[in-house]
Amino acid sequence: MAMISVQNVVVLLLSSLLIVITVFLFTSDNARFPFPSLTTDYTPKPKNVDVSSDPTPQKKLNTSHEVKLKWDLCKGKESVDYIPCLDNFAAIKQLKSRRHMEHRERHCPEPAPKCLVPLPDNYKQPVPWPKSRDMIWYDNVPHPKLVEYKKEQNWVNKTGEFLVFPGGGTQFKFGVTHYVEFIEEALPIIKWGKNIRVVLDVGCGVASFGGFLLDKDVITMSFAPKDEHEAQIQFALERGIPATLSVIGTQQLTFPSNAFDLIHCARCRVHWDADGGKPLLELNRVLRPGGFFIWSATPVYRDNDRDSRIWNAMVSLTKSICWKVVTKTVDSSGIGLVIYQKPTSESCYNKRSTQDPPQCDKKEVNASWYVPLAKCISKIPSGNVQSWPEPWPKRLVSVKPQSISVQAETLKKDTEKWSAIVSDVYLERLAVNWSSVRNVMDMNAGFGGFAAALINQPLWVMNVVPVDKPDTLSVIYDRGLIGLYHDWCESLNTYPRTYDLLHSSFVLGDLSQRCEIVQVAAEIDRMVRPGGYLVVEDTVETIKKLESIFGSLHWSTKIYEDRFLVGRKGLWRPAKPEF
């Protein structure tokens, strides 16, 4: 009996030790990153299919629920911040010219990569909004170069574990608040959040201008290239401010014509008169009739030979496209700006003594996707454009007079449909913690109904109109929302871990006809933050495929009414290869 008793004690002790070890292994990540367990909702049971970063073409994968996928980490020292279409160094090395920023444009690898980006060391749950506007974790974007490079201009400072954004900028000597007030005083007809709702900030730095305007009910599309200003767009998105990577090089911006109420450039380092004025003609294309361009740069307020030469070229170019100077001024800090206004009719174009640049004589491509820059003046829409847009927020539910993109009744029904789905399903029934959601992307935005239904939530939505779907992006901008064109068979111009929630309504199933859905899943995993969500509305077949794929990525997955899939990303990454 004594022998049996001792054996029982040993078994009990070993069992207890095993339980303790198991609990430790399954909770050690959560001790650093407090997410619920992301391994219990789905357990894949399939055969092995290698989905590595090997560039050799593969046959179309069977992604049914019977298939298991093997994932590898992306390779290279910069893989933590890997952006496939901007980091294709092999293609960039082959470029014949970099004169027009070709090396900052998209060069997508083929086939699209299927590897997973690793996490930065000591990655933490992002600082919540609105605190994130002023400070973010350094470990999440550990890039010190901009701190040192711009230390005299107060772009960003490092304080302990945080990067702190005091609201400074190259042209914001007294801070962004003073700068915005300076603009208001210079041109009182600019009413933020009323007649000015959608703004484009060119060469935006860390997006402090757009971040400040959010308080004034203005949504700003801030953009800059991926260049020596290390991680500036990554900083902006980590702060919870809308931003994207782009450059005015040889191709049109991925925005529709006549979209923005106001465009802003503060020392954005774009040579507007280059290549016959193509960069400024591109701004003219995306600026709505009657819209404003604010240019704050040394040629506006300095008289040296270089600045005078640039200013004279700008005077000639803006006159040739009928832009009117509505004000030019200098503030108490010595910083100056000029504000131009685009005409509301083509009558001025026809009265020019020389037709240079000419008016665009062919049907323009609104859905600009790999479209070369043109040396011509974009068409102004017909109709009474002076009365459009309506003041915000009325424009959210209004249709532009004589719109060819959507009828008023169609927009009304679409708005009502999305309002009902979002309020009844998305906000109430799906397993999404909306209080943790700030940066949202709608992968198939349509008329922007999903974003419109969320307008009162403390978040913003990047509305994506796929290039293989009907072109509705103009309607989205007319409503006072922002977005861009994209092909989901390619990688998006954004850093890893920049969105809290991706929404897909009947787009992922269609993509499988053109590219591998596994590649798209890898791109979704790249963009979504740990703890972030994918919400899919699609067919049962597509949802089952996605459940399997994201299960193999160790995302938790839940299906609602065989119509919606909610996936939540965890901290799991494949093991690093041993050398």
Side-chain angles (χ1 to χ4, degrees):
M1 292 296 292
M3 180 71 69
I4 296 173
S5 179
V6 169
Q7 288 175 340
N8 287 342
V9 169
V10 171
V11 170
L12 181 61
L13 287 172
L14 288 175
S15 300
S16 300
L17 181 61
L18 181 61
I19 291 170
V20 169
I21 292 171
T22 303
V23 170
F24 173 78
L25 290 174
F26 279 89
T27 60
S28 57
D29 268 348
N30 287 345
R32 176 166 61 88
F33 206 110
F35 294 147
S37 172
L38 300 176
T39 59
T40 56
D41 291 314
Y42 178 78
T43 305
K45 307 178 180 175
K47 331 187 242 185
N48 282 322
V49 176
D50 186 17
V51 187
S52 69
S53 56
D54 188 339
T56 55
Q58 299 182 28
K59 294 180 180 179
K60 191 164 184 177
L61 295 174
N62 173 15
T63 55
S64 73
H65 64 280
E66 296 181 354
V67 176
K68 184 176 181 179
L69 305 173
K70 180 180 179 297
W71 300 93
D72 290 331
L73 286 176
C74 300
K75 300 174 183 178
K77 63 179 181 179
E78 296 181 355
S79 59
V80 169
D81 293 328
Y82 181 44
I83 306 171
C85 292
L86 297 181
D87 293 337
N88 188 354
F89 301 117
I92 292 171
K93 285 180 181 178
Q94 309 256 334
L95 291 173
K96 296 179 179 178
S97 171
R98 299 189 179 195
R99 182 182 174 190
H100 299 296
M101 303 293 284
E102 291 91 344
H103 58 303
R104 306 295 187 200
E105 295 182 324
R106 292 172 59 83
H107 304 281
C108 297
E110 293 184 4
K114 303 170 189 171
C115 59
L116 305 182
V117 294
L119 289 173
D121 292 338
N122 302 314
Y123 184 84
K124 300 176 179 65
Q125 188 172 12
V127 176
W129 180 265
K131 189 177 180 181
S132 62
R133 180 164 51 186
D134 300 323
M135 59 194 302
I136 60 176
W137 292 111
Y138 174 78
D139 284 339
N140 287 11
V141 275
H143 299 292
K145 190 183 297 183
L146 205 60
V147 175
E148 180 64 25
Y149 185 49
K150 293 292 185 180
K151 64 182 179 182
E152 301 299 326
Q153 298 172 4
N154 266 336
W155 282 33
V156 55
N157 303 317
K158 187 174 185 297
T159 304
E161 294 185 289
F162 296 96
L163 291 170
V164 178
F165 301 87
T170 307
Q171 300 296 92
F172 312 156
K173 288 189 175 181
F174 295 160
V176 67
T177 303
H178 173 85
Y179 180 76
V180 171
E181 290 172 351
F182 171 45
I183 293 172
E184 293 169 343
E185 292 169 4
L187 193 63
I189 61 173
I190 289 178
K191 305 291 185 185
W192 303 114
K194 298 296 182 183
N195 65 338
I196 304 298
R197 164 63 183 175
V198 284
V199 170
L200 181 68
D201 192 12
V202 183
C204 62
V206 294
S208 290
F209 181 71
F212 178 82
L213 288 177
L214 287 167
D215 283 344
K216 293 182 174 288
D217 240 355
V218 173
I219 183 118
T220 303
M221 176 73 82
S222 299
F223 84 86
K226 187 181 184 186
D227 60 12
E228 67 272 15
H229 288 153
E230 185 185 47
Q232 54 189 334
I233 295 300
Q234 192 175 17
F235 287 166
L237 288 162
E238 185 73 12
R239 296 173 70 188
I241 299 171
T244 189
L245 286 157
S246 191
V247 66
I248 301 178
T250 68
Q251 299 168 358
Q252 289 183 358
L253 300 169
T254 55
F255 313 127
S257 302
N258 307 299
F260 294 95
D261 304 324
L262 184 147
I263 300 177
H264 172 255
C265 157
R267 293 281 288 275
C268 57
R269 303 195 308 167
V270 178
H271 299 290
W272 297 116
D273 63 325
D275 201 14
K278 284 183 179 179
L280 195 71
L281 287 165
E282 174 62 2
L283 285 200
N284 182 75
R285 181 186 73 84
V286 299
L287 183 63
R288 71 167 173 81
F292 300 99
F293 174 51
I294 300 176
W295 187 38
S296 179
T298 55
V300 177
Y301 54 91
R302 290 183 184 168
D303 295 327
N304 59 57
D305 289 344
R306 177 184 175 277
D307 286 323
S308 295
R309 187 170 62 253
I310 294 173
W311 173 254
N312 290 333
M314 192 68 163
V315 168
S316 176
L317 181 56
T318 52
K319 183 178 178 181
S320 73
I321 61 174
C322 297
W323 280 15
K324 177 175 66 176
V325 175
V326 288
T327 189
K328 182 186 178 188
T329 185
V330 178
D331 79 348
S332 57
S333 70
I335 296 295
L337 57 78
V338 60
I339 304 179
Y340 299 96
Q341 187 173 26
K342 179 178 174 177
T344 55
S345 76
E346 297 180 352
S347 61
C348 173
Y349 303 155
N350 301 324
K351 293 176 183 176
R352 293 175 301 162
S353 57
T354 59
Q355 294 296 305
D356 184 25
Q359 296 182 64
C360 299
D361 57 1
K362 60 182 180 180
K363 183 172 177 55
E364 294 177 73
V365 178
N366 195 53
S368 56
W369 184 246
Y370 295 119
V371 177
L373 290 181
K375 190 186 173 183
C376 61
I377 303 176
S378 182
K379 296 286 186 182
I380 290 180
S382 58
N384 186 13
V385 295
Q386 290 177 315
S387 64
W388 182 260
E390 290 195 61
W392 178 263
K394 288 184 179 179
R395 64 190 285 183
L396 184 63
V397 293
S398 301
V399 173
K400 185 191 306 185
Q402 300 173 333
S403 170
I404 60 173
S405 301
V406 62
Q407 299 296 318
E409 186 61 26
T410 302
L411 184 67
K412 181 174 181 290
K413 289 181 179 178
D414 186 78
T415 301
E416 291 172 349
K417 179 194 80 171
W418 279 108
S419 178
I421 293 175
V422 168
S423 62
D424 295 345
V425 179
Y426 285 76
L427 295 178
E428 295 296 330
R429 304 189 197 181
L430 300 186
V432 174
N433 177 13
W434 288 94
S435 66
S436 68
V437 173
R438 172 63 186 171
N439 302 356
V440 178
M441 179 176 289
D442 192 354
M443 298 177 67
N444 183 24
F447 296 122
F450 177 72
L454 291 168
I455 201 66
N456 293 320
Q457 300 294 320
L459 53 80
W460 59 271
V461 179
M462 183 71 78
N463 294 282
V464 178
V465 172
V467 294
D468 60 328
K469 298 291 184 183
D471 179 11
T472 54
L473 195 52
S474 290
V475 176
I476 288 168
Y477 276 92
D478 285 345
R479 300 184 74 175
L481 307 170
I482 60 169
L484 43 77
Y485 296 107
H486 185 60
D487 183 348
W488 285 116
C489 287
E490 298 180 6
S491 178
L492 189 80
N493 280 10
T494 194
Y495 282 91
R497 304 170 300 279
T498 46
Y499 283 87
D500 299 303
L501 186 146
L502 263 61
H503 173 244
S504 167
S505 179
F506 296 101
V507 66
L508 295 178
D510 294 345
L511 278 174
S512 62
Q513 305 302 313
R514 299 196 299 116
C515 53
E516 291 191 64
I517 198 68
V518 174
Q519 296 170 345
V520 185
E523 174 65 1
I524 290 170
D525 183 89
R526 189 185 72 88
M527 292 187 291
V528 174
R529 292 168 167 169
Y533 300 91
L534 170 68
V535 179
V536 178
E537 180 186 17
D538 220 305
T539 63
V540 173
E541 180 184 8
T542 297
I543 290 223
K544 291 294 185 182
K545 288 181 180 179
L546 293 173
E547 182 189 34
S548 173
I549 294 170
F550 284 95
S552 74
L553 287 164
H554 292 241
W555 288 42
S556 68
T557 56
K558 292 181 182 294
I559 296 176
Y560 176 74
E561 290 187 351
D562 286 334
R563 176 181 171 188
F564 297 97
L565 172 73
V566 177
R568 194 178 190 204
K569 181 179 175 180
L571 287 165
W572 177 84
R573 296 289 85 181
K576 292 182 180 180
E578 296 182 5
F579 297 100

